[in-house]
Amino acid sequence: YFGICYGMQAAVIEYARNVLGWSDANTTEVNPKSSKPVIALMDEQMHITDMGGTMRLGAQKCELSKDSKAFGAYGETAITERHRHRYEVNNNLRPQIEKAGLKVSGLSADKKLVEMIENPAHPWFVAAQFHPEFTSTPRDGHPLFAGFVKAAGQNARGEFEK
């Protein structure tokens, strides 16, 4: 699995529903009345009604865990990636999600926002809140795309443990 932006949010929702058993887990973008809003508006955007220009937009710094697949793909802990979104992993529910086994492998420079997640129990279950496609080209593929393609090849050859 390789999730990008909403794909990361969907992965967190699915994990919360199927591993934690939170059947009502959702994003407040889809269900504002969810009892387990694992994805929600950023705090500073809670009272904004004029949506123009209110996104987390542009290049943002991210700190990767050294014991992550993301670090293995990038080969460094400090990266900068482009964003375009308003919703984030809900930090109030994050400790329970992490305790259940979902790894937060990348955080914003201020350590307040989840940038990347991974499922350590899976050969390649990596998702990013940012948009790696913005800096990838056919000749110079982004490290996460390269990691995903490499993992797909390993899987096709039966190199992962069953």
Side-chain angles (χ1 to χ4, degrees), residues 4-159:
I4 297 172
C5 196
Y6 197 85
M8 185 192 94
Q9 295 175 6
V12 173
I13 292 165
E14 189 65 16
Y15 198 88
R17 287 178 181 175
N18 289 295
V19 174
L20 284 155
W22 296 348
S23 60
D24 190 38
N26 217 323
T27 169
T28 57
E29 184 175 16
V30 172
N31 180 3
K33 296 180 190 239
S34 169
S35 66
K36 294 292 186 182
V38 295
I39 307 295
L41 275 176
M42 295 183 287
D43 287 343
E44 63 268 19
Q45 297 199 3
M46 291 298 285
H47 302 289
I48 295 174
T49 56
D50 179 11
M51 301 300 177
T54 63
M55 293 184 163
R56 185 165 178 232
L57 192 61
Q60 306 282 329
K61 292 183 179 179
C62 172
E63 296 292 324
L64 300 176
S65 299
K66 284 189 176 181
D67 63 340
S68 66
K69 291 175 179 75
F71 175 79
Y74 283 94
E76 55 190 296
T77 56
I79 62 169
T80 301
E81 292 288 356
R82 291 176 59 189
H83 291 68
R84 188 180 190 284
H85 63 94
R86 297 182 73 227
Y87 291 80
E88 299 283 350
V89 172
N90 183 340
N91 282 327
N92 294 322
L93 298 174
R94 188 175 130 200
Q96 293 162 284
I97 295 167
E98 287 181 284
K99 187 176 179 182
L102 192 65
K103 179 180 184 58
V104 173
S105 57
L107 289 169
S108 58
D110 64 5
K111 308 281 190 246
K112 292 182 180 177
L113 303 174
V114 174
E115 297 278 6
M116 294 191 74
I117 60 156
E118 300 180 9
N119 182 344
H122 192 280
W124 182 269
F125 188 105
V126 175
Q129 182 61 72
F130 50 80
H131 288 270
E133 72 275 16
F134 289 163
T135 56
S136 191
T137 68
R139 290 196 175 98
D140 186 23
H142 188 281
L144 294 177
F145 286 109
F148 178 63
V149 170
K150 180 181 175 186
Q154 290 172 314
N155 184 59
R157 292 187 298 276
E159 295 175 14

